[in-house]
Amino acid sequence: NPNALKFLSENTISEIGTIEFQKNKRLEILDNGVTLKDPSSVYFSYDTEIDQDSIVEPNVIFGPGVKIKKNVLIKSFSYLEGCQVDPNVVIGPFARVRPGTLLKDGSKIGNFVEIKKSNLGKKSKVNHLSYVGDGKIGKNSNIGAGTIFCNYDGSKKYNINISSNTFVGSNVSLVAPLEIGESVTIGAGSTITHD
């Protein structure tokens, strides 16, 4: 079937182009002083930027619009798109960093954490099994395992702002819109609906 051969040829050419692009992009990133633990398992977008002394572990995927500063560690099986990552940040493993996210100096996004359209302040941590959406977290704050930013009411999305030096315990539901002040402690299992 000539049509099947034509389709196969077009797909093969496209696949070869993709393979060549990834090979060249990996070399460019390595030449920039970045460590790729298993280069063939890491996939880049056309516009991925990573500064020197950063480390990317195996099986990491970069979507469009990712800018990584120096000395960042991205652990295995993480996916990043449309985000900015400042120096000395740790991401993953198994983290999803979505568009509109800013991770500030020394912050950490841990395993099975999803963050979207949010700012994480200097030296703040979201270590395990949490969702942060449409939020702002100040510096030196800790978001406990299983914390959920309940940012959607079924028709609109709302913001959650957490000030600096705040501790949020495990399995907390924060219901937006919400403002949490500085140096606050929220006990495990709480549902917070008021500022």
Side-chain angles (χ1 to χ4, degrees):
N1 183 340
N3 289 334
L5 281 174
K6 182 180 177 201
F7 176 77
L8 182 61
S9 298
E10 287 171 358
N11 283 344
T12 303
I13 289 167
S14 175
E15 190 174 310
I16 290 168
T18 301
I19 291 167
E20 280 301 307
F21 166 78
Q22 290 299 330
K23 179 181 171 185
N24 292 334
K25 190 68 176 178
R26 290 170 186 142
L27 290 172
E28 173 193 318
I29 297 288
L30 289 165
D31 287 344
N32 201 32
V34 176
T35 299
L36 302 178
K37 294 285 182 118
D38 180 9
S40 65
S41 71
V42 178
Y43 288 86
F44 296 102
S45 178
Y46 67 96
D47 61 350
T48 305
E49 296 177 18
I50 308 179
D51 287 350
Q52 65 185 25
D53 300 324
S54 291
I55 299 170
V56 181
E57 292 185 353
N59 300 300
V60 173
I61 297 175
F62 295 90
V66 176
K67 291 180 174 38
I68 309 282
K69 300 295 185 183
K70 65 180 183 175
N71 199 35
V72 169
L73 172 60
I74 304 171
K75 295 184 177 180
S76 295
F77 300 101
S78 295
Y79 179 87
L80 296 83
E81 65 177 317
C83 62
Q84 179 179 320
V85 180
D86 285 350
N88 309 307
V89 170
V90 177
I91 297 171
F94 294 97
R96 184 172 182 207
V97 183
R98 291 174 57 194
T101 297
L102 170 60
L103 304 178
K104 293 188 178 175
D105 190 4
S107 62
K108 182 177 180 191
I109 294 291
N111 50 302
F112 301 104
V113 170
E114 179 178 358
I115 184 167
K116 183 267 299 186
K117 202 175 176 185
S118 297
N119 290 356
L120 184 60
K122 290 182 178 181
K123 297 185 179 178
S124 286
K125 296 182 266 184
V126 185
N127 275 324
H128 323 280
L129 303 156
S130 295
Y131 171 68
V132 176
D134 299 291
K136 185 176 182 184
I137 301 168
K139 65 182 180 181
N140 299 314
S141 290
N142 184 80
I143 307 301
T147 296
I148 303 296
F149 279 43
C150 306
N151 59 326
Y152 184 54
D153 70 357
S155 62
K156 292 183 181 176
K157 294 195 176 181
Y158 299 92
N159 293 327
I160 295 174
N161 296 318
I162 299 175
S163 295
S164 299
N165 305 306
T166 290
F167 181 89
V168 178
S170 298
N171 293 317
V172 169
S173 295
L174 302 171
V175 182
L178 192 62
E179 298 279 340
I180 297 180
E182 190 163 345
S183 301
V184 169
T185 299
I186 298 175
S190 300
T191 298
I192 306 299
T193 59
H194 293 88
D195 295 350

